[in-house]
């Protein structure tokens, strides 16, 4: 092919459950997902969660995984923004808490993100609706030229 192709990294998922995969149409992004539970639909759901991971790039599966230091940093950033907009410090604190719990968590936590196919529902709501007690155990997001991002419960 006369291309200089170098393998950056390899990721493998093992565990009890079903592994779903998704390779984006540009062939530059992919996701691996390990789910457990389900009532015969686990493979389909795992593959769809792969689409979600490639589309919205979550860093964590659940909000409990986020380091409290990182949450405090985000709250401080939002608090300073609110103070710069002229809000009193006590009101700025409440605004910051609200923005972090709404915007930041939806950005970085898979289960808190809007579901790509129905934006009015969160991923965790969709998992509850499909039944079978499906839970996401591990995710890996791979993108050409970048280090893989992975999270596990």
């Amino acid at each position: 092919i006369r291309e200089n192709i170098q393998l950056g990294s390899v990721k493998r998922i093992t565990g009890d459950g079903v592994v779903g995969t998704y390779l984006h149409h540009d062939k530059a992004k992919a996701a691996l997902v390990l789910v457990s539970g389900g009532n015969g639909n686990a493979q389909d759901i795992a593959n769809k969660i792969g689409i979600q991971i490639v589309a919205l790039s979550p860093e964590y599966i659940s909000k409990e995984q986020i380091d409290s230091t990182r949450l405090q940093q985000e709250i401080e950033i939002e608090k300073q923004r609110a103070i710069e907009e002229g809000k009193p410090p006590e009101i700025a604190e409440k605004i910051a808490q609200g923005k972090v719990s709404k915007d930041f968590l939806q950005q970085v936590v898979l289960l808190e993100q809007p579901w790509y196919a129905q934006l009015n529902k969160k991923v965790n709501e969709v998992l509850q609706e499909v039944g079978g007690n499906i839970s996401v155990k591990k995710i890996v997001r791979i993108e050409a030229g970048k280090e893989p991002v992975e999270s596990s419960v």
Side-chain angles (χ1 to χ4, degrees):
I1 348 178
R2 295 186 186 224
E3 294 286 334
N4 182 8
I5 300 173
Q6 297 176 0
L7 186 60
S9 66
V10 175
K11 291 293 174 186
R12 181 178 175 182
I13 290 186
T14 59
D16 293 335
V18 175
V19 176
T21 60
Y22 175 71
L23 177 62
H24 197 55
H25 65 84
D26 65 3
K27 308 288 190 259
K29 297 177 278 284
L32 302 169
V33 183
L34 176 65
V35 299
S36 67
N39 49 11
N41 58 355
Q43 185 69 59
D44 182 49
I45 293 298
N47 292 340
K48 288 180 179 176
I49 292 171
I51 296 170
Q52 176 83 21
I53 291 165
V54 167
L56 296 175
S57 308
E59 298 173 39
Y60 306 98
I61 296 171
S62 68
K63 59 186 172 187
E64 290 78 22
Q65 293 178 290
I66 301 175
D67 183 7
S68 62
T69 307
R70 180 156 184 211
L71 274 177
Q72 280 308 117
Q73 288 173 340
E74 292 297 326
I75 289 170
E76 271 307 307
I77 290 168
E78 291 300 330
K79 183 178 175 182
Q80 287 304 320
R81 251 189 223 141
I83 289 172
E84 288 170 7
E85 291 173 359
K87 307 289 185 203
E90 58 278 355
I91 301 292
E93 179 73 29
K94 290 180 182 178
I95 290 171
Q97 292 281 350
K99 282 195 173 197
V100 166
S101 66
K102 184 177 182 233
D103 299 335
F104 176 72
L105 291 180
Q106 282 186 1
Q107 183 181 355
V108 300
V109 178
L110 174 67
L111 296 177
E112 300 297 319
Q113 290 180 332
W115 182 244
Y116 76 94
Q118 288 179 287
L119 297 176
N120 62 335
K121 294 183 180 182
K122 291 182 178 181
V123 172
N124 62 357
E125 293 170 344
V126 171
L127 292 180
Q128 290 171 0
E129 286 177 6
V130 297
N133 201 22
I134 291 181
S135 62
V136 180
K137 297 297 184 186
K138 185 168 187 162
I139 62 173
V140 178
R141 185 179 192 279
I142 302 165
E143 188 169 354
K146 295 183 180 179
E147 280 296 311
V149 175
E150 62 183 287
S151 179
S152 54
V153 181

